[in-house]
Amino acid sequence: MKLSEFFRLWVENYYQNIALIGKKGDFFTAVSVGNLFGTLLAKHFLTLIDKKILTPPLQVIEIGANEGYLSRDFLSALMEFRPEIFKDLEFFIIEPYEKLRVLQRKTLQDCELIHKNSLQDCEFSNAYIFCNELFDSFSCELINGKTMAFVDDDFKLYFAPSDEKIQKECEELGLKIGELSQELNLFFKQLDKACKSFVLSGFDYGVLKPDKLSLRIYQKHEVFDPFKLDLKKFFGKSDLTYNVNFTHLLKLIKDYNFKLLAFEKQSQALSGFDFEEVLNHTKNKNIQSYENFLSQAKRLFFGFDDKFHFFEFQKI
């Protein structure tokens, strides 16, 4: 089967069995560091409103929420900085897996939460959407020249000629070697159809103009090369991921006539999300929380490499 089909089955098995993130899981994300990440995103959201880039009332949606910690931190910060905003917000999580929905309801038990299975089930008039490390979980093809990866019955990866459609898309992207996600194409199609207007704020790791294969496996914070191990032992029990092709992402934003609002290093973006104001506010209220935020900031700003980016785009 094509790698993308194998990838999709892997991810479905992994998340249906509840993927743990953080110290006890297979990998860390910015959310694992603590509540500063969600707090800064909330401040950025309020800035978008103050600048009239967003105009309430709004549907607020997280996609790929896992246990729901980012939404919890985001909403808690809104309650701290501007509680009156809640009368103009309706909150959603798009989550296909029931086991994760249970965890999200538990994490957000004091929140009025609406679950949706997919973007296909949604009709949003005026939305703010946020996601963290979503696109790197989308199924992909491995491209090497005019060949692409397949998986045989023994779970071994091999390359064979790619079809004309894949080759044409790679030519349009200038992609000679690396990952190509057609699921990203589908996401943009569904996003455009589901939302009359929106702003999407996302964080992910990736590169512009890939020049090598990046597919890899994370298990208990160790990295494994899928070409050098028995995939049967890892299938659905560990995180399968790759570097997002940001050239592809930016092309789709342009193709759909969405407006690119931001594309920058994650650390640069976060430091600009009213970080100093958050620190001063917290210092005046609770010195222990202030010191905790300082500790988290060191990891958020310096603990993630340059592949981590923030991107934001809008449909008007």
Side-chain angles (χ1 to χ4, degrees):
M1 70 174 71
K2 293 193 296 185
L3 176 71
S4 58
E5 297 168 356
F6 180 74
F7 192 112
R8 190 174 297 111
L9 291 172
W10 183 309
V11 169
E12 286 175 356
N13 276 273
Y14 186 55
Y15 284 99
Q16 281 174 352
N17 292 313
I18 307 177
L20 292 175
I21 296 174
K23 188 175 181 180
K24 295 181 179 180
D26 293 316
F27 59 95
F28 285 102
T29 73
V31 181
S32 312
V33 173
N35 62 330
L36 178 60
F37 183 67
T39 299
L40 292 175
L41 181 60
K43 284 293 291 180
H44 174 65
F45 169 70
L46 294 175
T47 297
L48 292 176
I49 291 174
D50 293 340
K51 290 183 175 180
K52 302 190 184 306
I53 295 171
L54 285 171
T55 305
L58 288 157
Q59 296 99 31
V60 176
I61 306 108
E62 183 177 9
I63 307 178
N66 213 65
E67 294 109 320
Y69 295 141
L70 177 55
S71 285
R72 178 199 62 191
D73 299 340
F74 177 88
L75 295 171
S76 295
L78 291 186
M79 182 61 71
E80 174 68 22
F81 289 106
R82 199 175 299 179
E84 67 274 14
I85 196 72
F86 280 91
K87 71 180 187 302
D88 293 320
L89 303 182
E90 194 175 14
F91 185 64
F92 298 79
I93 290 180
I94 296 179
E95 178 57 67
Y97 304 116
E98 181 56 33
K99 287 185 178 180
L100 288 178
R101 287 187 180 201
V102 170
L103 285 179
Q104 290 158 10
R105 292 189 194 102
K106 184 178 179 180
T107 302
L108 298 160
Q109 56 187 333
D110 296 325
C111 171
E112 291 186 15
L113 164 64
I114 301 170
H115 270 119
K116 292 290 185 179
N117 189 60
S118 71
L119 276 170
Q120 288 178 291
D121 300 329
C122 301
E123 290 185 10
F124 297 125
S125 58
N126 188 27
Y128 177 69
I129 303 166
F130 61 93
C131 55
N132 181 52
E133 297 191 27
L134 173 67
F135 296 156
D136 64 87
S137 68
F138 285 3
S139 63
C140 69
E141 309 293 358
L142 283 188
I143 304 299
N144 191 355
K146 293 187 177 182
T147 67
M148 57 189 280
F150 294 82
V151 182
D152 66 20
D153 293 340
D154 294 322
F155 282 59
K156 298 292 184 182
L157 290 167
Y158 68 96
F159 285 89
S162 53
D163 60 46
E164 290 184 6
K165 184 179 179 181
I166 293 290
Q167 288 188 23
K168 182 178 179 182
E169 188 166 1
C170 289
E171 288 173 5
E172 291 175 351
L173 289 169
L175 179 64
K176 296 181 179 179
I177 184 169
E179 286 76 20
L180 173 70
S181 176
Q182 293 188 302
E183 190 172 343
L184 187 62
N185 295 342
L186 178 61
F187 175 84
F188 268 74
K189 182 178 180 180
Q190 293 176 350
L191 179 67
D192 188 39
K193 186 175 181 180
C195 303
K196 185 176 179 180
S197 66
F198 70 82
V199 169
L200 185 148
S201 301
F203 301 85
D204 227 313
Y205 52 85
V207 294
L208 288 164
K209 300 180 180 179
D211 58 2
K212 61 182 178 181
L213 301 177
S214 66
L215 189 73
R216 56 196 181 272
I217 294 168
Y218 284 95
Q219 188 174 76
K220 298 186 185 305
H221 304 284
E222 288 190 63
V223 185
F224 298 90
D225 184 339
F227 287 93
K228 297 180 179 179
L229 46 77
D230 183 357
L231 292 178
K232 279 186 179 179
K233 294 180 179 179
F234 288 79
F235 181 80
K237 300 174 183 176
S238 50
D239 179 49
L240 183 64
T241 188
Y242 59 95
N243 294 337
V244 175
N245 184 342
F246 286 138
T247 297
H248 188 192
L249 175 65
L250 294 175
K251 182 178 184 298
L252 285 168
I253 292 171
K254 183 178 180 180
D255 288 347
Y256 277 85
N257 294 314
F258 297 155
K259 181 180 181 181
L260 181 65
L261 300 177
F263 180 74
E264 58 187 323
K265 297 288 192 296
Q266 177 175 289
S267 57
Q268 293 173 339
L270 291 174
S271 63
F273 288 176
D274 289 337
F275 174 55
E276 290 188 10
E277 183 182 331
V278 168
L279 280 184
N280 290 332
H281 175 88
T282 307
K283 187 176 183 179
N284 291 331
K285 294 197 69 172
N286 188 308
I287 193 65
Q288 186 174 354
S289 295
Y290 167 74
E291 291 173 352
N292 188 23
F293 272 179
L294 284 178
S295 177
Q296 289 182 45
K298 291 178 182 178
R299 294 190 65 186
L300 281 180
F301 299 158
F302 305 109
F304 291 81
D305 67 35
D306 284 346
K307 289 188 179 69
F308 285 83
H309 282 69
F310 168 70
F311 46 85
E312 189 168 72
F313 53 95
Q314 179 181 31
K315 177 183 179 181
I316 302 173

